[in-house]
Amino acid sequence: MNKQYSNIVIAGDHDAYIPICALLNSIILNCNNYKQLKIYIVCESAIELNKLINVNCYINELEINKRLDLTSNSIIKLIEPPTYIINEIIEKQSFISNGVDHLKKTKDWSKPISIYNFIRFYFPKLLPNYVNKVIYLDTDTIVKCDIEELFNLFEPKYDLGAVFSKFPYILEKKNWINPSYISLLSRNNLFNAGMYVTYMNKWRENNYLYQCMSLIESNKVNNIYNGGTQVPMNVIFSGSTQELPQEWNQTGLGERTRPVSQIFEE
């Protein structure tokens, strides 16, 4: 049912709605045939985001008098995750010792704690069952060429395709990964999880949702890493990731140039 489309998945809470509109415009304006796209957006409020998209996105200029209808077969589909998924993510976020409410009060946003950062692990449940091959994009991304080229680069023998950083990726955080955990990674630098291509059927068959969330929950005891989705995905997909060309995800800006071993010797 969905084989003819290039599927894209985006996720964000209220704070990301304007960036999402900018990202949508960059995708649509640079695609040679935007009608071949299916863009799924997992969001807090479909009604609120729908209004912003209708005002701010070029799709409405390309399709005159056709506004985004949540019930129509638009190229954009908005998905609100059910409450039980939101509650499960909050429960398993191992690095938030005092909870999300505490961080909101103290404004300690030094780590990526948004529920909609972790919602990516639930795409196999949230997306329609006929959706298989997808591109995931963080909301702070801008697309500068035809994204269908990226969609076609990904090979079916891999479970995930991503760009590995030019230098060891530590997200500007010393000791982002526990040194004893480095041995579980297949290489000494990580792929950037802000953009990747994957197969939802492989997530469903291998239960990658459970694997990723179990690793996050286990961190409560083992203190493996200091938060985010970056490390769990690199560990779970170590050895099954296709390295995509650097031009598809700019990395290396502001990153340290020293090997991981030197970073952890400090």
Side-chain angles (χ1 to χ4, degrees):
M1 180 176 178
N2 200 252
K3 291 181 180 178
Q4 71 272 32
Y5 296 110
S6 296
N7 303 301
I8 301 168
V9 190
I10 304 166
D13 56 17
H14 287 85
D15 293 337
Y17 286 175
I18 296 300
I20 285 174
C21 290
L23 171 57
L24 289 174
N25 282 335
S26 72
I27 294 170
I28 294 166
L29 292 177
N30 286 289
C31 186
N32 290 329
N33 185 4
Y34 71 91
K35 292 185 178 181
Q36 289 298 112
L37 301 177
K38 280 290 183 181
I39 304 174
Y40 300 88
I41 307 177
V42 181
C43 58
E44 278 191 87
S45 170
I47 294 176
E48 182 180 337
L49 182 55
N50 174 58
K51 292 177 181 178
L52 286 173
I53 291 175
N54 279 326
V55 171
N56 293 290
C57 287
Y58 281 100
I59 185 65
N60 300 312
E61 294 183 17
L62 295 169
E63 298 184 5
I64 299 174
N65 297 326
K66 182 179 180 181
R67 310 300 264 178
L68 174 60
D69 183 349
L70 299 182
T71 63
S72 74
N73 192 31
S74 170
I75 70 166
I76 301 173
K77 180 175 177 60
L78 306 182
I79 301 172
E80 290 185 25
T83 303
Y84 83 89
I85 287 180
I86 300 298
N87 291 338
E88 182 174 322
I89 293 173
I90 293 173
E91 178 185 350
K92 293 182 183 297
Q93 280 178 322
S94 58
F95 54 93
I96 306 177
S97 58
N98 295 312
V100 174
D101 290 338
H102 169 77
L103 285 183
K104 286 182 177 179
K105 292 176 183 177
T106 60
K107 305 297 182 183
D108 179 14
W109 301 108
S110 59
K111 302 184 182 75
I113 59 88
S114 171
I115 292 168
Y116 285 83
N117 186 32
F118 292 85
I119 203 77
R120 70 186 71 193
F121 298 149
Y122 291 83
F123 290 160
K125 289 187 175 183
L126 293 172
L127 297 177
N129 289 332
Y130 55 78
V131 174
N132 184 19
K133 185 178 180 182
V134 302
I135 297 172
Y136 169 80
L137 297 172
D138 270 355
T139 57
D140 60 354
T141 305
I142 291 294
V143 177
K144 300 181 68 176
C145 62
D146 191 342
I147 201 167
E148 282 198 288
E149 296 177 20
L150 172 61
F151 193 81
N152 296 328
L153 275 178
F154 185 45
E155 301 176 20
K157 65 180 179 179
Y158 295 99
D159 290 0
L160 185 139
V163 174
F164 285 83
S165 57
K166 294 179 180 178
F167 308 113
Y169 196 86
I170 58 172
L171 292 176
E172 298 181 353
K173 288 288 178 184
K174 182 180 178 181
N175 297 333
W176 188 259
I177 312 172
N178 187 304
S180 63
Y181 215 57
I182 293 293
S183 61
L184 296 181
L185 300 171
S186 62
R187 49 193 295 167
N188 68 354
N189 65 329
L190 310 184
F191 64 75
N192 183 289
M195 186 287 295
Y196 57 85
V197 194
T198 191
Y199 291 102
M200 287 293 100
N201 286 349
K202 291 189 177 181
W203 278 73
R204 296 174 181 121
E205 292 165 5
N206 298 306
N207 203 358
Y208 284 136
L209 161 60
Y210 172 79
Q211 293 189 50
C212 290
M213 294 306 292
S214 294
L215 182 56
I216 288 172
E217 190 171 31
S218 71
N219 197 48
K220 294 176 181 178
V221 176
N222 300 323
N223 193 27
I224 297 166
Y225 67 101
N226 291 334
T229 57
Q230 191 92 348
V231 174
M233 292 189 68
N234 272 271
V235 170
I236 298 302
F237 290 94
S238 182
S240 62
T241 303
Q242 177 184 352
E243 182 169 0
L244 298 175
Q246 285 282 332
E247 57 262 30
W248 286 105
N249 191 4
Q250 178 62 56
T251 68
L253 301 177
E255 295 177 15
R256 300 184 185 184
T257 58
R258 292 166 293 161
V260 169
S261 59
Q262 292 181 16
I263 293 170
F264 291 120
E265 285 172 359
E266 294 181 352

